[in-house]
Amino acid sequence: CVSITLWHPQRHVGGMCHYLLPSRTRRDSMPLDGRYANEAIQLFDQAIQRTGLAPREFEAKVFGGGNMFNAQSTRPQFDIGARNVEIALQMLMERKIPVLAEHHGGKGHRKLVFDVQTGDVWITFQNSDAEDLKKTTSSSWPLHPSTS
């Protein structure tokens, strides 16, 4: 899964999405589904349009894309987390939305809190890789616009 936060630093408005997969085959008659990256971004586009602000005025932060399972497959087509992160960064770049902070990859899960008033994001990463557990089991810190 990947989460993207968008925040407008002057207007103090923003939002967050959390999607599971890069895309799906969707007919025009079907409603947008935020579980898919391309559709979650379209929902962001609609929300931004309702504000009357330009997408490039927002700031983004991208999280997730970790391997939740101890699968040994190294085949890129099965690395859904990496594909989810790649599509997030690509779609943000296409909209000229700057990415101010990123925390993705690894083995484990993240929890995050997004403060829409300040744009701050607090993240906790629980690393499930046995080798890395010796080094750190979890970490929590705020990610501010000046920190990547």
Side-chain angles (χ1 to χ4, degrees):
C1 302
V2 166
S3 291
I4 301 171
T5 63
L6 290 183
W7 187 67
H8 194 283
Q10 285 77 38
R11 299 286 177 91
H12 297 244
V13 296
M16 180 170 70
C17 71
H18 175 258
Y19 59 85
L20 309 173
L21 296 166
S23 63
R24 68 173 173 153
T25 302
R26 179 183 157 266
R27 283 179 257 140
D28 290 337
S29 62
M30 297 170 66
L32 292 172
D33 187 336
R35 294 178 295 176
Y36 302 93
N38 61 327
E39 296 178 46
I41 292 293
Q42 289 177 51
L43 291 166
F44 264 152
D45 289 342
Q46 291 175 0
I48 290 171
Q49 187 175 26
R50 285 191 301 271
T51 68
L53 301 167
R56 70 180 177 281
E57 296 174 7
F58 285 78
E59 301 172 344
K61 296 177 183 176
V62 179
F63 309 93
N67 184 356
M68 295 295 297
F69 309 102
N70 288 327
Q72 297 299 317
S73 176
T74 57
R75 296 168 61 181
Q77 65 267 32
F78 295 117
D79 192 348
I80 301 299
R83 289 175 48 209
N84 277 339
V85 170
E86 182 180 320
I87 197 166
L89 297 174
Q90 175 188 341
M91 289 187 298
L92 292 166
M93 184 178 68
E94 288 170 0
R95 289 159 178 77
K96 297 179 174 59
I97 299 173
V99 176
L100 299 187
E102 302 176 45
H103 190 276
H104 45 78
K107 293 182 182 175
H109 64 275
R110 293 163 177 83
K111 292 181 184 179
L112 60 103
V113 175
F114 174 42
D115 183 341
V116 179
Q117 181 62 34
T118 65
D120 291 340
V121 175
W122 287 267
I123 181 170
T124 300
F125 177 56
Q126 182 68 44
N127 191 340
S128 65
D129 189 345
E131 292 179 18
D132 288 341
L133 281 176
K134 297 173 191 168
K135 301 173 191 167
T136 178
T137 55
S138 66
S139 55
S140 180
W141 63 92
L143 292 174
H144 303 282
S146 60
T147 308
S148 316

